[in-house]
Every structure is written in structure tokens, then in C-alpha cells.
Amino acid sequence: MPHPYVLLSAAVSLDGYLDDTGPERLLLSGPADFDRVDEVRASVDAILVGAGTIRADNPRLLVNSPERRADRVARGRPEYPLKVTVSGSGDLDPAARFWHTGGEKVLYTTDRGAERARAHGLAADVVPLGPELDWRRLLEHLHAVRGVRRLMVEGGGLVHTQLLTQGLADELQLVLAPLFVGDPDAPRLFGPGSYQGGRLRLLETRAVGDVVLMRYGPTAPGTGALPSAADHHWLALACDLAERCPPSGTAFSVGAVVVAADGTELARGHSREGGDPVVHAEEAALAKTDPTDPRLATATVYSSLEPCARRASRPAPCARLILDAGIRRVVTAWREPDTFVPGADGSGVLVDGGATVVVLPEHEERAQAPNGHLIGR
């Protein structure tokens, strides 16, 4: 099921700490960055913090600018974003400012935690997720039930670590403050975990007062049937490539990208690339890879349209080319309609060959856009 766009926001010292161990909260940002954070808050549908942040910092999580709140209302949105917290135990102080400022609040917890939270009389919608906390289920609920399309996560370090290591964070907005903490007992932004290999992609860097904002996006594909945030990025790129195809009345416009497990792009292609009137996107991309590259065995192919199962123009369909390359994971936006090949089932060919096929229907409309004249749109 679709998830919100998940944006992690944090400020750290030069040596990677979120705070010191003093009685007062260490202010890592300055006025200019606090205003930037307020702007980001005003742009999202919900703001999430973990229970530990509520206990340690007692935050209000408000949009402070009256003008930004008024703009939200003028656009038909609530004055304040939905405030969200997560607690396995449900043991939270009902007097915390989180519950008594701003707009609506929701607590995600376990079945047992829900009993405790309701006994405390917390001023929030209490949503049990089962015997254990489940981040995917939480995000699905926020999207489907609460209509959250953009979610800002402001901590703490454990929450950020869990979302990143589970491949659920679409963006990291990290502010680097020009000071050191140096206390080994102070909280750090990220804890140990199975993070993606390779490098994230840099989206932006800029000075904000005396701090530096760095925005990064993940690149590593998911594993198996579980999609990662980076899967959406690469599939969106495949859809962009489909827009570059020379127009045709007898063949689909498709884009494809081949990505290694560490997030390195190995190749890309699109239909009718290079003036070849019959080349398919996956075929064009795979032709640019080294067939002896060991990374292909754990790579993912992103194709805006399901790879073909049968074709008349070349000896091997794209589903077979992918399998012959040793690739065993494919992410696509759209199953092939019967327009040219009745009963097309490239996914079936791939699955029969031992590959995993992940369909992300959130991208279907974009994948279909350059093909509207072929499917009656």
C-alpha cells in the first residue's frame, strides 16, 4: 500500500550529537534555521516524534508563523499539521505539551500499549498496531486513513535509525551546527543498524545562518518484495525516461534503469533509443551493462511498464533478457495491457524464472502518460 513521503529532520553537532547531557536542551540551530524548520512544518501534512522525544524535550511541534498558518487554512488545510507519536508501552505523560497544543494528535502503539494509553486519558486518537510496533503498517494507516501525503519526522535518534535502516525514509534533512559536544553519554543522531551500502545522493546543500543544511536521498533498492523509499525514486526516473521516447503508434514508450544493490546506477535506456525503431527500454539499458559484472546478480531493474513476455521484432523478450543477465528483482509501475500482445504476462515469465516482481501502482499514471494515445486516454 502507498506510504507518505517521509522526511527526516535533525540538527547535529560537528561530532554527531543531538544534544548534550545538561538539564536544558542544547540549541544547535539559530533563528534562521528555526524559521526554515517552521516553513517545512507548514508544508507537511503531519509531524512525528518518538515517545522519547516527548519525555526528554516536551515539544509543542507547532507552526509558529501566523502567516503560514493562515496560508494553510486558505488552502483548505488544517491550521496545524497532524501531530503523531509512537510508543510501544503507551506510557506517556498526559500533561505533556504535545497533547495540549496545535491540532489533532494520534498515538501509534501496541495492543498492550493502547490499553495503558487509554487508561491515562491521553488527548489523542490511539491506534494499536498489533503485538509489536510496525512502521510499514503505521505509514500505510497514516496514508490511507489520515490522508497524510508528506510526513516530517523530528526525532529522536532511535526513530530516525529505524526508518532509515528499514528503507522507509525518502529524504534526510540534516543541519550541521558549528560546535562540539564530546560527551560519550550524550545522544547521537543514528545508532547501530543495517544501513544501505554505498552513497546517498545529495539533493541540496546551503548555509542557513551559521549552520549548514544538507539534504540527502536514499539510493539503495529494496530487497525481495518489500519496496524501499529508493525504489520510488528509481521508478520515477524510469517514468521520466519514458517521456523521452520518440512517439509511436505501434509500440509503448517505456523507460528502464538498472541499479546495483548499493544504489549505484549501472545503466538506463528507453524505447526506440538511438534511432532504433524496435529496441525496448530494458534491452537498451542491459546492452550498456557488462554481462560479467557481478553486481547484476543483486541488481534491480526498474521499468515503467512490465517487461515484455513476447515480441516479434527480436528473438528474446525483455523478461528473458533480464533473467539471462542474472537479475532477479524487477520493479514496475504498470502491467502490460492487451493493446499489442493479448494475455501479455512478463511478470509471470520473470516469476517463473525465479525473479521477484514488485508493482508500485502509485506510479502507474505517470507511466501511462506518454502512452495515452495507445490506451484511449
Side-chain angles (χ1 to χ4, degrees), residues 147-216:
V148 174
R149 298 299 180 264
R150 288 184 64 86
L151 172 67
M152 181 182 187
V153 181
E154 294 199 38
L158 178 60
V159 169
H160 282 153
T161 297
Q162 290 175 341
L163 288 168
L164 271 176
T165 56
Q166 292 183 38
L168 297 174
D170 294 276
E171 181 179 335
L172 171 61
Q173 293 191 0
L174 182 64
V175 164
L176 192 62
L179 54 83
F180 295 93
V181 172
D183 186 340
D185 295 325
R188 287 187 175 273
L189 174 56
F190 298 121
S194 300
Y195 295 96
Q196 77 155 77
R199 304 171 76 88
L200 281 70
R201 68 187 190 282
L202 181 64
L203 305 175
E204 178 190 10
T205 179
R206 61 184 164 99
V208 184
D210 70 344
V211 303
V212 176
L213 168 68
M214 297 170 290
R215 296 176 53 230
Y216 286 96

Side-chain angles (χ1 to χ4, degrees), residues 114-122:
E115 297 176 7
R116 185 177 290 111
R118 289 170 180 144
H120 285 327
L122 298 179

Side-chain angles (χ1 to χ4, degrees), residues 58-319:
N58 197 21
R60 297 183 302 161
L61 298 180
L62 301 178
V63 175
N64 293 310
S65 165
E67 293 78 15
R68 289 176 182 138
R69 296 200 305 271
D71 182 67
R72 286 178 60 90
V73 173
R75 294 172 182 268
R77 305 173 75 185
E79 183 179 10
Y80 294 99
L82 175 71
K83 296 202 298 188
V84 184
T85 190
V86 185
S87 170
S89 69
D91 189 13
L92 289 160
D93 183 359
R97 292 188 298 183
F98 179 92
W99 316 109
H100 302 288
T101 56
E104 290 189 75
K105 296 92 181 170
V106 59
L107 164 65
Y108 288 97
T109 183
T110 61
D111 294 338
R112 183 171 296 180
E115 297 176 7
R116 185 177 290 111
R118 289 170 180 144
H120 285 327
L122 298 179
D125 178 19
V126 178
V127 180
L129 296 173
E132 304 290 338
L133 293 175
D134 184 328
W135 278 107
R136 289 183 183 271
R137 187 175 175 190
L138 182 157
L139 294 174
E140 289 168 2
H141 187 276
L142 275 177
H143 188 279
V145 178
R146 286 291 188 161
V148 174
R149 298 299 180 264
R150 288 184 64 86
L151 172 67
M152 181 182 187
V153 181
E154 294 199 38
L158 178 60
V159 169
H160 282 153
T161 297
Q162 290 175 341
L163 288 168
L164 271 176
T165 56
Q166 292 183 38
L168 297 174
D170 294 276
E171 181 179 335
L172 171 61
Q173 293 191 0
L174 182 64
V175 164
L176 192 62
L179 54 83
F180 295 93
V181 172
D183 186 340
D185 295 325
R188 287 187 175 273
L189 174 56
F190 298 121
S194 300
Y195 295 96
Q196 77 155 77
R199 304 171 76 88
L200 281 70
R201 68 187 190 282
L202 181 64
L203 305 175
E204 178 190 10
T205 179
R206 61 184 164 99
V208 184
D210 70 344
V211 303
V212 176
L213 168 68
M214 297 170 290
R215 296 176 53 230
Y216 286 96
T219 59
T223 56
L226 288 178
S228 71
D231 285 333
H232 292 278
H233 162 71
W234 293 116
L235 188 56
L237 174 57
C239 293
D240 289 342
L241 292 170
E243 297 280 358
R244 302 183 187 180
C245 299
S248 172
T250 58
F252 290 114
S253 293
V254 182
V257 190
V258 184
V259 182
D262 67 355
T264 301
E265 180 182 329
L266 301 179
R268 62 174 69 180
H270 58 78
S271 304
R272 301 177 291 284
E273 183 177 334
D276 185 337
V278 297
V279 72
H280 287 195
E282 303 92 332
E283 179 185 17
L286 289 170
K288 299 170 190 172
T289 64
D290 178 353
T292 66
D293 190 335
R295 295 175 295 179
L296 291 175
T298 54
T300 295
V301 168
Y302 297 88
S303 180
S304 60
L305 175 66
E306 173 186 54
C308 64
R310 300 191 300 277
R311 63 189 295 189
S313 58
R314 294 282 164 84
C318 291

